[in-house]
Amino acid sequence: MSTEPAAQAPVFTFTARLNARLQPEHAQELFVEPLSAWLQDAGQGDAALGQVGLSPDGEVLYVDLRIALQDESEVATVIVALEELGAPLASTLLLPQGEHDFGRMQGLGLYLDGQNLPEQVYETCDPHEVFEQVSRCIDGLGDVCSFWQGESETALYLYGQDAAAMEQAMAGFLASYPLCQDARLERIA
């Protein structure tokens, strides 16, 4: 017979709605897996991917994490863990007693025009080059965490401590690379 106590079933569940434009596989890798591993190792509960909110054209607008805890008093610890993992500003805990905002990371969406540039630009330029160069430009300031490809544009989603610093760091590249003509930057967190 085992002398270890049996694991208790989680008794408190809630949703953490991340203000993050992440494909489900990126949300799984960046948030669900590390949070779930931490909760399980601490014997505190588990986390799973929940609903993914989409715009009418299929762009991810938010990602829900379903969190189950042994004890409601651990919610504050989960907030700290999510912020350490990179939860963006304006993320929200959806608790039975109400909502609680959290998150520290700022976000930018870099939207590349996918149909209005000269054909030669699309033939000679590579979106992967944009990803690589933007990643290099913002190294130490943030990360390109996900992407989206719509009918008329492709977006890269960047998260870091300071959106203005990331924008400034990649300004030279964006101004010089032909595929970035008419690109728009949007503050997303």
Side-chain angles (χ1 to χ4, degrees):
M1 283 184 117
S2 174
T3 58
E4 292 183 35
Q8 293 179 315
V11 295
F12 183 73
T13 60
F14 62 98
T15 298
R17 178 160 290 166
L18 299 177
N19 179 31
R21 297 188 185 185
L22 300 173
Q23 297 297 326
E25 62 270 18
H26 301 140
Q28 187 75 26
E29 176 186 329
L30 295 172
F31 289 97
V32 176
E33 291 172 3
L35 181 62
S36 185
W38 176 78
L39 288 169
Q40 289 175 9
D41 288 349
Q44 291 298 322
D46 200 5
L49 187 63
Q51 175 178 316
V52 175
L54 301 175
S55 72
D57 57 357
E59 182 179 13
V60 173
L61 299 176
Y62 65 84
V63 177
D64 283 351
L65 306 182
R66 295 291 303 146
I67 301 169
L69 297 176
Q70 299 292 338
D71 187 339
E72 185 176 348
S73 68
E74 292 300 317
V75 170
T77 307
V78 169
I79 293 171
V80 170
L82 287 170
E83 287 180 339
E84 287 177 3
L85 290 171
L89 291 169
S91 294
T92 306
L93 290 184
L94 306 174
L95 300 165
Q97 61 270 33
E99 296 182 1
H100 174 77
D101 290 340
F102 71 101
R104 295 190 306 233
M105 289 293 171
Q106 296 181 7
L108 291 172
L110 171 61
Y111 292 85
L112 304 175
D113 186 330
Q115 64 185 21
N116 298 310
L117 300 178
E119 204 55 44
Q120 177 185 355
V121 170
Y122 298 117
E123 291 170 2
T124 60
C125 294
D126 184 358
H128 296 290
E129 178 70 12
V130 176
F131 175 89
E132 293 295 327
Q133 292 301 319
V134 167
S135 294
R136 184 188 58 74
C137 289
I138 66 169
D139 186 39
L141 299 171
D143 295 296
V144 179
C145 294
S146 195
F147 62 89
W148 169 72
Q149 186 164 356
E151 289 184 27
S152 64
E153 59 188 354
T154 298
L156 297 178
Y157 303 120
L158 298 66
Y159 293 94
Q161 294 288 333
D162 185 340
M166 291 190 298
E167 186 173 350
Q168 183 178 8
M170 62 183 168
F173 170 72
L174 297 181
S176 67
Y177 195 67
L179 190 57
C180 297
Q181 294 174 47
D182 300 330
R184 65 183 171 89
L185 275 174
E186 180 181 317
R187 182 74 184 265
I188 58 175

